[in-house]
Amino acid sequence: MAEDQAVDYSLNNPDTLTKYKTAAGISHKALEAVTGWCVEGAKIVEICQKGDAFLANEVGKVYKGKKINKGISHPTTVSPSSYVTPYTPLVSDVEEAATALKPGEVVKIQLGAQIDGFGTIVCDSVIIPSTDHAHEDGKIPSRQADLLLATYWANELLLRLMVPPGLLVQGSDEEKAKAQKEKPPTQARITQLLEKVVQSFNCNLVESTTSWLFERNEIEGSKKIILAPGEGAKGDGVPEVGEVWGVEMGVSLGTGKCKTLEKRPTLLRRTTTTYQLKRPSSRQTLSEIVEKFKTFPFSLRQLNDERAGKVGVLESVRAGVLRQYDPAGDKDNEPVGRLLTTVADVSVGADNLQAITKNGMQILAGAPKPDLSKFVTDNKIRDEEVLKVLERPLARNTGKKNKKKKKPAKKSQPDEAEESSDESD
């Protein structure tokens, strides 16, 4: 125990970032694979099973022979069009297990891997292609285009608003010191700016969309940013250098209000609450959960006996030992787009992982950038304040190695937003 406490698990330790990056690489590979399996008629439960098997297989290939905890930081979930929360049906729930993907719907894929408790989670929104009515030249029609563009650009804006003020300012020491004295935007201000983005596409933020500080063995840390907070919801804290965050963006074609769905909660995670469980079946189930998943989210279908697990978790949920995520959907049953990006509020020198410098934000795991030329819509961002923020880089370009990366670094700038929208005008 004393040896464990002496280890530096912060990003000052290059091993920590290496483990995050290893987990991120696995998450990216799994996301790509699962996306390819999301086709018309495919059953969601089977996709989720294949996704988890893929994650487990890839995790097994790294850090072989080393006694470290590694596994899945978030089970594979595939959420239908109007779902807000991750969806992972059970094989034993016959009706839910029959749920298949429909052509043209927007589905959200979420999954993740962890190495030594350092978890990365990624979520992307994709449109299920239709085998009979494929869009000409792969073009995405207006309302679907509005949703995905609003989600993409709102996410880009949020990431930039999370970079600590003054961190990337160039100029004299006096100019840098002045910039660093600026206060970060309040969470209310962040919501206001994001609303300008999504409303440009006639969309709305999903209420209480939450980004969390990630820590070792913890994906819901001591800080959180809540967008469009619902009644009683309140964020706390601002991102700082040396932190890792799970940044979430949720956008709806409806009002953004949510409703609880009449579905079985199948996604759970262990809390820090301790309680002497009375039932042997409850203790057995909890023991399996602790051994397999630690404190990371899991699906009931991942348990050895899914049917027994449905009963075995009940006492732990009532006692607060396990937290269940109640399924939620858009109140208007409108399509919802979601993204989840794991980021570090530091950047590492390109030549050496040991050269940790204050160069900005590094995306560890995120959805691939969409082909903006395929979106057909007359809507675009016109607000000058928003466009100015979108012009900011996420990180400072450093080192000789980065010279080849200068062109890609410009691809997320607002000029491109205008160009891609102008093509559709």
Side-chain angles (χ1 to χ4, degrees):
M1 179 64 74
E3 182 180 349
D4 185 65
Q5 290 176 343
V7 177
D8 179 9
Y9 289 115
S10 74
L11 291 178
N12 291 323
N13 183 345
D15 288 341
T16 296
L17 192 58
T18 299
K19 289 170 182 174
Y20 269 123
K21 286 188 170 184
T22 302
I26 294 171
S27 298
H28 282 145
K29 288 179 68 175
L31 178 64
E32 182 179 7
V34 173
T35 299
W37 299 330
C38 289
V39 295
E40 179 181 348
K43 292 184 178 179
I44 290 179
V45 68
E46 294 177 356
I47 297 173
C48 293
Q49 289 174 316
K50 289 172 64 177
D52 287 350
F54 186 97
L55 283 166
N57 183 60
E58 292 298 317
V59 167
K61 296 177 181 178
V62 300
Y63 288 89
K64 288 184 175 180
K66 295 189 177 182
K67 294 182 179 180
I68 63 172
N69 169 40
K70 57 182 181 177
I72 296 175
S73 62
H74 194 286
T76 306
T77 61
V78 179
S79 307
S81 188
S82 64
Y83 281 51
V84 171
T85 53
Y87 178 63
T88 170
L90 305 181
V91 176
S92 57
D93 289 343
V94 179
E95 185 176 346
E96 293 297 309
T99 304
L101 298 178
K102 302 174 182 177
E105 73 172 329
V106 179
V107 300
K108 284 74 65 179
I109 304 167
Q110 185 163 317
L111 50 81
Q114 62 92 5
I115 304 295
D116 198 18
F118 300 109
T120 61
I121 302 176
V122 63
C123 176
D124 193 16
S125 296
V126 300
I127 298 176
I128 303 304
S130 171
T131 54
D132 297 326
H133 304 90
H135 299 305
E136 185 178 355
D137 299 325
K139 297 293 185 181
I140 299 172
S142 59
R143 288 309 281 156
Q144 289 181 331
D146 286 337
L147 177 62
L148 297 186
L149 282 173
T151 306
Y152 171 73
W153 286 114
N155 188 64
E156 290 292 308
L157 183 68
L158 177 57
L159 292 174
R160 284 157 176 78
L161 292 173
M162 291 178 65
V163 176
L167 190 63
L168 303 178
V169 171
Q170 302 288 340
S172 65
D173 291 342
E174 183 179 349
E175 290 172 326
K176 293 178 181 178
K178 181 180 178 181
Q180 288 169 358
K181 288 181 180 179
E182 294 180 10
K183 293 183 178 180
T186 65
Q187 298 201 16
R189 181 59 179 155
I190 291 174
T191 292
Q192 289 174 353
L193 291 172
L194 291 171
E195 285 175 339
K196 290 183 178 182
V197 173
V198 298
Q199 289 172 4
S200 297
F201 299 96
N202 297 318
C203 297
N204 285 288
L205 293 173
V206 173
E207 67 174 338
S208 297
T209 296
T210 305
S211 299
W212 288 93
L213 173 68
F214 279 11
E215 299 168 348
R216 186 169 182 256
N217 294 315
E218 180 56 77
I219 61 164
E220 295 181 1
S222 57
K223 297 181 182 180
K224 59 184 175 182
I225 296 173
I226 301 181
L227 308 176
E231 186 177 353
K234 184 180 180 181
D236 182 30
V238 296
E240 299 179 65
V241 170
E243 294 178 342
V244 174
W245 282 72
V247 182
E248 183 171 6
M249 178 53 58
V251 178
S252 169
L253 285 181
T255 62
K257 300 297 182 182
C258 299
K259 64 180 179 182
T260 300
L261 301 176
E262 294 182 1
K263 304 286 184 180
R264 180 195 301 275
T266 59
L267 188 66
L268 304 92
R269 71 183 291 257
R270 185 163 63 92
T271 69
T272 56
T273 299
T274 57
Y275 177 80
Q276 186 60 44
L277 298 173
K278 297 178 176 59
R279 297 181 178 180
S281 61
S282 300
R283 294 195 295 270
Q284 182 179 349
T285 300
L286 182 61
S287 178
E288 181 186 352
I289 291 168
V290 172
E291 175 65 25
K292 283 185 173 181
F293 314 114
K294 310 303 180 188
T295 55
F296 289 100
F298 65 92
S299 169
L300 290 175
R301 63 177 168 73
Q302 293 174 286
L303 298 176
N304 292 333
D305 188 331
E306 183 183 291
R307 293 181 183 274
K310 288 191 287 189
V311 178
V313 300
L314 295 178
E315 185 182 2
S316 292
V317 170
R318 287 195 297 266
V321 176
L322 294 178
R323 173 190 170 187
Q324 65 181 21
Y325 294 86
D326 294 324
D330 185 85
K331 190 175 182 179
D332 308 310
N333 295 321
E334 290 286 348
V336 170
R338 285 181 60 247
L339 293 173
L340 201 157
T341 312
T342 303
V343 303
D345 249 335
V346 308
S347 185
V348 179
D351 296 327
N352 194 328
L353 279 177
Q354 295 178 347
I356 297 179
T357 59
K358 296 180 179 180
N359 288 331
M361 177 179 287
Q362 182 173 5
I363 294 178
L364 299 173
K369 185 191 172 188
D371 183 352
L372 301 178
S373 66
K374 291 184 177 181
F375 295 104
V376 180
T377 178
D378 293 330
N379 296 317
K380 62 181 179 180
I381 302 170
R382 293 181 170 84
D383 186 272
E384 291 298 328
E385 183 180 13
V386 168
L387 291 172
K388 188 173 181 180
V389 175
L390 284 171
E391 288 176 354
R392 300 177 190 169
L394 286 175
R396 186 180 295 119
N397 200 0
T398 62
K400 294 181 180 179
K401 250 186 166 182
N402 280 357
K403 285 185 177 181
K404 293 181 180 181
K405 297 182 180 180
K406 283 185 178 180
K407 288 185 179 180
K410 296 179 182 178
K411 67 183 180 181
S412 293
Q413 301 309 305
D415 287 345
E416 182 176 335
E418 294 180 11
E419 288 172 8
S420 71
S421 297
D422 288 341
E423 290 175 2
S424 304
D425 286 348

